[in-house]
Amino acid sequence: MTDAQKTAADTTLRATGDSPPDPRPAPVPLLEPREGIPPVTATDEALAEVVAAFAAGTGPVAVDAERASGYRYGQRAYLVQLRREGAGSVLVDPVGCPDLSALGEAIGDAEWVLHAATQDLPCLRDIGMVPTRLFDTELAGRLAGFARVGLGAMVENVLGFALEKGHSAVDWSTRPLPEPWLRYAALDVELLVDLRDALEEELTQQGKLEWARQEFAAIAAAPPPPPRKDPWRRTSGMHKVRRRRQMAVVRELWTARDQVAQRRDVSPGKVLGDAAIVEAALSLPPNSHALAGLPGFGHRMGRRQLEQWQAAVDRARALPESELPQPGQPLNGPPPPRAWADKDPVAAARLSAARAAVTALAEELNLPQENLITPDTVRRLCWEPPAEPTRETVTEVLSGHGARPWQIEQVAPILTEALLTDAG
């Protein structure tokens, strides 16, 4: 980016704040790759050159990854984009180069700049790339009070350039990757470091840079999330399924579908839709002929497939009562807030006061409530408050639930006051 462009970007940032004028006074220029579209690195020899170039580069490293969600099983990366001063931009194919640990080590001491880091870190970790320091431009935008924090909106609002659109949801497992897709991917890291620098300046002016640094450090230090318990309960339309025998059908069909999807390396939704699973659970078909009459199990499905799904239904039908799933998941924490008024009116009053206080403070600080303090933390504190609510005891509870020091400094006083609220 030229000095003139940077000056224009700085002016745009200061002038627009959390939302740009609409409509814009002039067309937004479309971002162009500075060095053209880089070739895809897909061999060990080419990767070694990339590793050497990025190890010799300077400053932060822009990092992005493309997955094939909705097409393939799991969340693996099918393209990794990087850019660093002195090394330029590169596109790395994790199919041809499945182990990128050497590249991760080459830039391990640098700050990694990602947009919505928590989305990409799991798939990057799987191929050996784990940052020790990072800057999340999406999270920075939230803390700075921007209303729209998608990468395209941020680049346009802050830097005054438009990113190409239209390829975010394509099948990135396609080989060879079409040139327009590669161009789109390369542009995703083209201005990421420039965006980082502008947002750092904005956060500094707002007195929030240390808040952002604590958030980034927490993301970088977070361990991989544990496997989700009973993932079949997240089947879309599950709220219609109320009987335990029906729940067992959902569980059996979901598990059978997952095994097929993993074996074929396709998205589970392409094997059997959630709506079809729910229909089978509600109907409890006695045989494959009855199953074929249900939505989602139409004439295009072969006999072998129908028998496979009917076998799952039959397994659920044959389970003894003692092995049927229980309605609802075991609670790990307080009950749903809608039940508080009946179960504990005093706790309900505390929660109402706490929510109102957090809402007011978040508006005053110009940031989303969930970034000021997570709603789950507020609920847990209000449901099981310390015996003697003081600034010190509330601080201890908040810290135990993972709140960062900056969050505790902001919310501990107002939450302490809310805990003193009674039902009367």
Side-chain angles (χ1 to χ4, degrees):
M1 180 177 274
T2 66
D3 290 342
Q5 289 172 334
K6 288 182 177 179
T7 300
D10 291 343
T11 302
T12 300
L13 179 63
R14 286 193 296 271
T16 59
D18 64 346
S19 58
D22 189 21
R24 298 186 64 89
V28 181
L30 191 66
L31 183 63
E32 298 286 344
R34 280 174 267 195
E35 298 104 15
I37 303 173
V40 177
T41 300
T43 66
D44 292 341
E45 294 75 16
L47 179 61
E49 295 180 7
V50 169
V51 169
F54 273 75
T58 58
V61 182
V63 183
D64 190 25
E66 305 295 347
R67 299 175 296 280
S69 303
Y71 298 93
R72 296 289 183 172
Y73 184 86
Q75 295 294 317
R76 67 171 293 187
Y78 282 95
L79 190 69
V80 176
Q81 310 99 283
L82 303 97
R83 182 177 180 85
R84 191 180 196 186
E85 187 70 32
S89 295
V90 298
L91 304 174
V92 182
D93 180 4
V95 177
C97 303
D99 182 4
L100 298 187
S101 55
L103 179 56
E105 292 170 5
I107 58 175
D109 292 335
E111 178 188 78
W112 296 19
V113 184
L114 301 101
H115 192 81
T118 54
Q119 294 183 18
D120 287 340
L121 288 179
C123 70
L124 291 171
R125 183 183 292 112
D126 289 343
I127 53 179
M129 298 186 65
V130 183
T132 55
R133 293 187 296 129
L134 62 83
F135 190 107
D136 186 333
T137 49
E138 186 209 41
L139 182 51
R142 292 181 184 278
L143 294 175
F146 282 81
R148 298 165 62 218
V149 293
L151 181 59
M154 293 292 289
V155 168
E156 182 173 336
N157 294 349
V158 176
L159 301 178
F161 286 92
L163 288 178
E164 290 187 5
K165 301 176 182 178
H167 302 303
S168 60
V170 299
D171 181 3
W172 288 96
S173 69
T174 301
R175 293 296 183 274
L177 286 164
E179 183 173 310
W181 298 11
L182 297 175
R183 176 187 177 87
Y184 166 91
L187 289 174
D188 271 359
V189 293
E190 184 82 12
L191 292 182
L192 209 49
V193 172
D194 298 284
L195 180 60
R196 172 236 179 272
D197 292 343
L199 289 171
E200 181 179 66
E201 180 179 343
E202 179 68 14
L203 288 167
T204 299
Q205 293 176 358
Q206 294 188 22
K208 298 176 180 177
L209 182 59
E210 177 56 29
W211 301 2
R213 286 174 173 163
Q214 291 181 26
E215 293 298 307
F216 302 156
I219 293 173
R228 190 183 297 276
K229 182 177 174 59
D230 292 345
W232 57 270
R233 292 184 184 272
R234 294 178 62 84
T235 302
S236 180
M238 190 67 192
H239 62 282
K240 303 175 186 176
V241 182
R242 302 189 180 278
R243 291 162 48 195
R244 294 174 63 201
R245 184 73 59 186
Q246 295 172 334
M247 292 178 186
V249 173
V250 173
R251 182 175 63 185
E252 292 295 332
L253 282 171
W254 188 98
T255 302
R257 178 185 70 173
D258 194 66
Q259 292 168 350
V260 172
Q262 187 169 11
R263 185 174 67 249
R264 290 170 48 189
D265 189 21
V266 296
S267 169
K270 289 188 174 296
V271 175
L272 186 67
D274 280 9
I277 290 178
V278 171
E279 285 291 339
L282 296 176
S283 300
L284 290 172
N287 51 54
S288 58
H289 178 74
L291 182 67
L294 298 178
F297 298 93
H299 64 279
R300 292 186 179 182
M301 188 171 287
R303 188 186 69 178
R304 187 174 176 182
Q305 287 178 293
L306 282 170
E307 290 175 348
Q308 166 184 260
W309 304 130
Q310 184 61 42
V313 175
D314 291 342
R315 287 194 297 273
R317 291 169 63 97
L319 284 174
E321 288 286 330
S322 60
E323 295 181 22
L324 296 178
Q326 295 298 324
Q329 293 177 283
L331 280 176
N332 177 22
R338 63 180 178 273
W340 285 32
D342 293 331
K343 290 178 178 291
D344 189 338
V346 176
R350 288 193 296 259
L351 181 61
S352 178
R355 283 174 162 175
V358 168
T359 298
L361 181 57
E363 290 177 356
E364 180 183 332
L365 297 173
N366 190 29
L367 49 76
Q369 298 176 41
E370 62 271 19
N371 292 115
L372 176 58
I373 190 70
T374 68
D376 181 67
T377 297
V378 175
R379 287 194 295 269
R380 290 174 182 270
L381 173 67
C382 291
W383 186 252
E384 293 184 351
E388 303 232 353
T390 65
R391 175 74 178 268
E392 291 72 24
T393 59
V394 169
T395 292
E396 184 177 351
V397 172
L398 294 174
S399 179
H401 289 312
R404 265 69 73 190
W406 78 267
Q407 294 175 312
I408 294 173
E409 180 181 0
Q410 294 296 323
V411 303
I414 62 172
L415 291 180
T416 301
E417 183 176 347
L419 292 181
L420 300 176
T421 302
D422 57 37

